Amino acid sequence: MSALRLAYPSLAPKSYQAMLALTASLTDSTLGKPLIDLVFQRVSQINGCAYCVDLHWRDLLAEGEDAQRINSLSTWREVSFFSERECAALAWAESITNLQHNHADDEDFNPLKAHFTDAEIADLTFAIVTMNAWNRLAIGFRQPVVRRA
């Protein structure tokens, strides 16, 4: 494992605080923290962000999320453990995270309308792009994962 390349929070404190505020603003949404953390975890899995995968796995466990669902998140399309609402959010998270493959196609956007208000779709999209930004910071600066017992 490599060491942290730069102490980016202290080197760019205004930007770091703005990212924290953006993340905190999502807790006021009607999406609910469990759904947001499922999305955060899935986006982090796609991006291969070890730090964020470790962080959000712990968040999900602390919220009482089922270990089998957490473990199956990377294969959510192949199991029946997730609600239609969660599946719509996860499909949108994958679509926004993998823009190079599909440019956020209508087939991923349209199902959102059955489960979310327009404001919730906006919040969900902000959650997805925020997690993508955090992943890029953690990966780019080699944020280490601390081994916990």
Side-chain angles (χ1 to χ4, degrees):
M1 176 195 305
S2 33
L4 184 66
R5 286 179 166 161
L6 292 174
Y8 59 96
S10 60
L11 293 168
K14 287 182 182 178
S15 297
Y16 183 73
Q17 290 302 316
M19 285 288 296
L20 289 175
L22 177 57
T23 304
S25 74
L26 298 168
T27 61
D28 294 333
S29 112
T30 57
L31 293 172
K33 188 159 172 30
L35 179 63
I36 290 171
D37 283 332
L38 279 176
V39 166
F40 281 0
Q41 181 72 345
R42 183 66 191 123
V43 168
S44 298
Q45 288 173 337
I46 293 166
N47 289 326
C49 182
Y51 178 83
C52 295
V53 165
D54 182 68
L55 175 69
H56 297 295
W57 169 81
R58 292 177 186 287
D59 288 346
L60 286 163
L61 277 180
E63 292 161 10
E65 182 57 76
D66 177 89
Q68 188 177 18
R69 277 178 29 109
I70 296 170
N71 188 55
S72 297
L73 192 54
S74 64
T75 59
W76 66 269
R77 292 176 192 271
E78 300 171 32
V79 297
S80 60
F81 306 155
F82 300 94
S83 70
E84 287 183 16
R85 184 174 195 261
E86 290 168 332
C87 289
L90 292 169
W92 186 237
E94 289 181 358
S95 189
I96 293 296
T97 301
N98 293 313
L99 285 174
Q100 74 277 18
H101 298 300
N102 60 23
H103 292 285
D105 289 337
D106 287 343
E107 75 179 50
D108 293 323
F109 179 80
N110 290 337
L112 295 170
K113 294 287 200 169
H115 305 284
F116 299 95
T117 66
D118 287 351
E120 288 174 328
I121 293 170
D123 281 341
L124 176 62
T125 306
F126 269 103
I128 296 163
V129 299
T130 301
M131 193 67 251
N132 273 285
W134 282 121
N135 289 166
R136 281 147 179 78
L137 287 166
I139 293 168
F141 289 121
R142 302 286 191 259
Q143 184 72 46
V145 177
V146 176
R147 176 80 170 124
R148 297 182 169 117

